[in-house]
Amino acid sequence: MIAKIERLHTEEEEIIQKGLEKACRLVEWYKERRETIEKRRRLLHKGVVSLDASVPEQRLNFLRAHVSELNRKTMELMESSERGFPAHLTHRSTPASAPSVIISTPSSKAPSPSVTSASSDRGRLDMLEQQNRVLSHREKC
């Protein structure tokens, strides 16, 4: 059982590392896009490009849809990490010898105040640690 959990932790770490690498590439892509926009803007003011707005509008609509979806999924992932794994995905039959873990969700009955306070403090601590990782990561990218 310990070996299996260790394997799962290793796999999770690999997934996070790959995600971090993709996130760095994404940051670079955003920076390149900003530079490209500035270049196109300068060319527009010099009269070098066509004044047909259909292509930039199509590009904007495509970009808006995809970046909005990416942002939504990113926030969903980050928020699920802060709140814990969604309870509806953790319900499965477990062997009697396996320890039970209860994950609090907004739809579940409210736990006692001492449990709420402890989990709230842990949630805040997790959120601050996540922010530290994000801020540290920004400096590296």
Side-chain angles (χ1 to χ4, degrees):
M1 182 65 138
I2 292 175
K4 179 179 181 179
I5 293 173
E6 182 61 36
R7 181 181 53 77
L8 294 172
H9 286 161
T10 301
E11 187 175 345
E12 181 180 7
E13 186 175 25
E14 290 170 359
I15 290 168
I16 296 300
Q17 181 60 40
K18 287 177 184 176
L20 183 59
E21 291 166 5
K22 298 288 184 192
C24 282
R25 286 182 55 199
L26 180 63
V27 168
E28 289 305 313
W29 179 85
Y30 276 117
K31 289 177 182 177
E32 290 170 6
R33 296 293 70 79
R34 283 182 18 193
E35 291 173 9
T36 301
I37 291 167
E38 288 304 315
K39 183 178 179 181
R40 287 194 320 249
R41 185 174 283 143
R42 285 191 304 271
L43 292 173
L44 176 66
H45 290 294
K46 289 181 179 180
V48 177
V49 295
S50 168
L51 297 178
D52 180 16
S54 64
V55 172
E57 189 172 0
Q58 290 172 359
R59 182 185 303 125
L60 177 61
N61 290 337
F62 177 84
L63 186 66
R64 180 184 296 122
H66 287 276
V67 170
S68 294
E69 180 67 9
L70 176 64
N71 289 340
R72 185 187 67 74
K73 288 182 177 279
T74 300
M75 291 308 298
E76 185 179 290
L77 177 63
M78 289 170 48
E79 288 171 358
S80 71
S81 296
E82 292 169 2
R83 291 189 310 254
F85 196 69
H88 70 281
L89 298 175
T90 61
H91 291 137
R92 63 175 181 83
S93 59
T94 57
S97 62
S100 357
V101 176
I102 298 173
I103 297 175
S104 177
T105 63
S107 62
S108 64
K109 293 184 180 179
S112 69
S114 63
V115 172
T116 303
S117 176
S119 63
S120 175
D121 290 344
R122 182 69 210 162
R124 280 191 211 108
L125 181 60
D126 289 343
M127 183 183 70
L128 291 172
E129 289 172 349
Q130 176 69 19
Q131 285 177 346
N132 283 340
R133 284 191 294 275
V134 169
L135 291 173
S136 297
H137 171 68
R138 284 183 186 162
E139 294 173 8
K140 293 176 184 175
C141 290

